[in-house]
Amino acid sequence: MVLAQLGGSIARALARMKDATVVDEKVLADCLNEISRALLQADVRFETVRDVKANIKTIVNLDALAAGTDKRRIIQKNAGSREAGLHPSKGKPSVVMFVGLQGSGKTTTCTKYADYYRRKGFNPALVCADTFRAGAFDQLKQNASKAKIPFYGSYIESDPVKIAVEGVDRFRKEKCDLIIVDTSGRHKQEAALFEEMRQVSEATKPNLVIFVMDGSIGQAAFDQAQAFKQSASVGAVIVTKMDGHAKGGGALSAVAATRSPVIFIGTGEHIPDFEVFDVKPFVSRLLG
Ligand code: GDP
């Protein structure tokens, strides 16, 4: 089930609740069951669905509804509270570390993120701390040059922590206000990768760690995101490849595993194919 279909199912369930003359236990339970079914069909883990259901029950206070409180405002307020992420300050250095498995779109997304903030007047820079994949530095260099963003890396140094620290130090001295550290990925989750993420994070003390995930990975996103969260404290999620036939379920699982919001989505291979993930229009659309 793609995101739009999932949205459609949830919208229908909410519309039915909105149209009900009286919102009682039964109407709420029917609505929640319908939403749960849609989420499960969208590949969301059972445990996540159970948590979402419990959260909505807490949010939708039936007594308050009976007293005439505006349902729409209650739902919008609570869905909107997930909005967060880093708000970097111009002129003050922020370090942002990107983590994710190989192929998730991490390197491409680092450049998109840098370009997004440069257009907003920041002075970003990219550090390639991926010493695992041959060609990683060349790829970052190529992307960064295309976007005219300064970069740092090495063809010979094999210690990712050393490169990360050197790069961050150099760009701090150069008064860059958004220093983006791209890290290694692996084809699969493995202990060495997470240990490396822990070390890079400890050495560079990032203001924000962003978990990058391929939008089509489905339920696997939960374990992946949780494992990264344990090694570097992930504070935001970026979902890539949303231009394809991506399902929405994986993103929700990553949000649940990291207790962090989705801040951007990748919508193509090119630098401008990048959008702010805004939950409000999404919720407004659901509520009609
Ligand atoms: P990394 O191994 O995680 O650093 O991933 P890369 O940045 O090398 O990306 C892997 C592949 O995914 C490349 O071919 C990218 O062009 C592609 N890619 C990255 N983001 C997107 C996206 O949002 N949409 C599409 N269609 N492709 C993407």
Side-chain angles (χ1 to χ4, degrees):
M1 186 187 277
V2 294
L3 196 55
Q5 283 172 300
L6 171 64
S9 306
I10 295 177
R12 277 192 298 280
L14 289 171
R16 261 195 290 280
M17 185 164 94
K18 196 173 129 217
D19 291 343
T21 336
V22 181
V23 178
D24 56 14
E25 291 278 359
K26 180 168 183 319
V27 171
L28 180 61
D30 287 349
C31 176
L32 289 180
N33 287 338
E34 218 164 312
I35 291 175
S36 301
R37 233 188 336 268
L39 290 171
L40 288 168
Q41 276 169 11
D43 232 2
V44 180
R45 290 168 95 237
F46 171 74
E47 290 81 355
T48 306
V49 174
R50 192 189 50 202
D51 289 351
V52 166
K53 215 170 149 180
N55 284 342
I56 296 180
K57 263 196 173 151
T58 321
I59 290 165
V60 182
N61 180 331
L62 284 172
D63 294 338
L65 287 181
T69 315
D70 186 343
K71 281 181 278 185
R72 182 182 300 242
R73 264 195 21 231
I74 292 176
I75 297 172
Q76 275 180 332
K77 182 171 155 275
N78 286 286
S81 65
R82 279 227 183 270
E83 275 178 87
L86 174 75
H87 298 289
S89 316
K90 284 178 196 154
K92 189 171 156 265
S94 293
V95 176
V96 178
M97 174 178 165
F98 276 67
V99 300
L101 288 192
Q102 196 163 308
S104 60
K106 191 160 32 75
T107 302
T108 311
T109 305
C110 282
T111 312
K112 288 177 174 182
Y113 185 83
D115 183 68
Y116 173 86
Y117 279 103
R118 210 221 359 226
R119 284 172 196 280
K120 286 192 169 294
F122 283 85
N123 186 15
L126 291 161
V127 179
C128 176
D130 180 356
T131 53
F132 185 80
R133 181 166 61 97
F137 180 40
D138 271 331
Q139 189 193 346
L140 182 116
K141 200 168 146 181
Q142 213 172 30
N143 286 350
S145 306
K146 212 188 289 175
K148 297 190 174 59
I149 290 163
F151 58 88
Y152 182 84
S154 166
Y155 288 110
I156 46 169
E157 178 56 63
S158 60
D159 179 358
V161 177
K162 192 160 182 271
I163 299 184
V165 169
E166 281 173 6
V168 169
D169 283 352
R170 150 137 15 146
F171 291 127
R172 272 187 199 277
K173 284 196 191 100
E174 291 181 8
K175 305 275 177 245
C176 291
D177 47 16
L178 188 60
I179 306 168
I180 298 157
V181 181
D182 187 14
T183 60
S184 297
R186 302 284 196 276
H187 288 300
K188 57 186 176 60
Q189 296 163 234
E190 51 188 70
L193 171 64
F194 297 117
E195 176 54 19
E196 185 175 316
M197 294 306 103
R198 195 190 59 72
Q199 289 180 13
V200 172
S201 163
E202 210 172 270
T204 56
K205 305 214 171 350
N207 300 81
L208 175 67
V209 178
I210 299 179
F211 170 63
V212 178
M213 58 166 276
D214 183 324
S216 65
I217 61 172
Q219 288 206 15
F222 190 91
D223 291 340
Q224 223 181 81
Q226 195 170 47
F228 277 106
K229 172 102 182 171
Q230 278 158 7
S231 56
S233 56
V234 172
V237 178
I238 295 183
V239 187
T240 64
K241 310 184 192 181
M242 292 298 280
D243 48 313
H245 300 286
K247 292 180 177 183
L252 293 175
S253 297
V255 165
T258 59
R259 304 207 169 275
S260 309
V262 177
I263 52 170
F264 290 99
I265 57 168
T267 54
E269 297 195 37
H270 302 291
I271 294 167
D273 302 331
F274 196 56
E275 293 172 18
V276 171
F277 178 84
D278 193 354
V279 72
K280 275 189 183 156
F282 183 69
V283 171
S284 298
R285 207 177 63 232
L286 293 182
L287 290 168

